[in-house]
Amino acid sequence: AYLGVAEETRLRFLESGGWPMAELYRRKLGPVVVEDVLTYRKELRLLEPFRVDMAISAISADVRKVKVRNRFLRDSDGVLCATVETLILWFDLEARRTVVPPPEMARLWLDLARTDDFALLSG
């Protein structure tokens, strides 16, 4: 369930920044998840209220690669329950290769909060 919520959080972030799925399809552009790392910290019970935040933990200079960290926090006490770190590549769905995202989308990622251990990824 954590992976699904993390994915939805990323897609809603894109949508709120002007990049809904319809626009991505129109441009034949898509995020490809290369790796998800899920780390459990504390129990989060079924239907227990929680919140999810999102920050960039690493990014390539051209924004072709983005590593996003989602933290799952219990609403009742703010305790960190889990983290999901996801490596995403931007992909041309027609050419079937990685691409640099459009400048407006790149700016959206570059303006996102960064983790304390933020790093640059090699191209």
Side-chain angles (χ1 to χ4, degrees):
Y2 288 105
L3 296 176
V5 172
E7 178 181 39
E8 183 175 343
T9 301
R10 292 189 307 268
L11 293 175
R12 290 193 184 281
F13 164 74
L14 287 170
E15 184 174 62
S16 71
W19 293 92
M21 289 304 301
E23 180 62 15
L24 293 176
Y25 289 139
R26 187 183 75 73
R27 293 186 184 224
K28 297 177 176 46
L29 180 66
V32 173
V33 172
V34 177
E35 178 181 68
D36 277 316
V37 177
L38 172 56
T39 305
Y40 296 99
R41 304 251 183 236
K42 298 282 182 184
E43 182 178 18
L44 185 60
R45 296 186 176 148
L46 290 175
L47 302 179
E48 185 174 10
F50 66 94
R51 65 185 183 279
V52 181
D53 66 17
M54 186 171 87
I56 295 289
S57 60
I59 198 166
S60 62
D62 62 3
V63 191
R64 183 184 303 254
K65 297 178 188 176
V66 179
K67 191 177 278 190
V68 177
R69 183 176 302 151
N70 292 105
R71 296 183 316 155
F72 291 75
L73 306 150
R74 259 192 323 239
D75 271 353
S76 62
D77 56 10
V79 166
L80 177 64
C81 296
T83 61
V84 174
E85 192 155 273
T86 304
L87 178 60
I88 300 163
L89 301 178
W90 285 99
F91 205 67
D92 180 317
L93 300 174
E94 197 167 78
R96 310 304 296 169
R97 61 179 177 79
T98 62
V99 294
V100 173
E104 311 84 36
M105 181 189 288
R107 177 61 31 216
L108 189 64
W109 289 109
L110 291 168
D111 289 345
L112 188 61
R114 296 179 178 193
T115 62
D116 291 338
D117 59 346
F118 174 82
L120 284 176
L121 294 170
S122 61

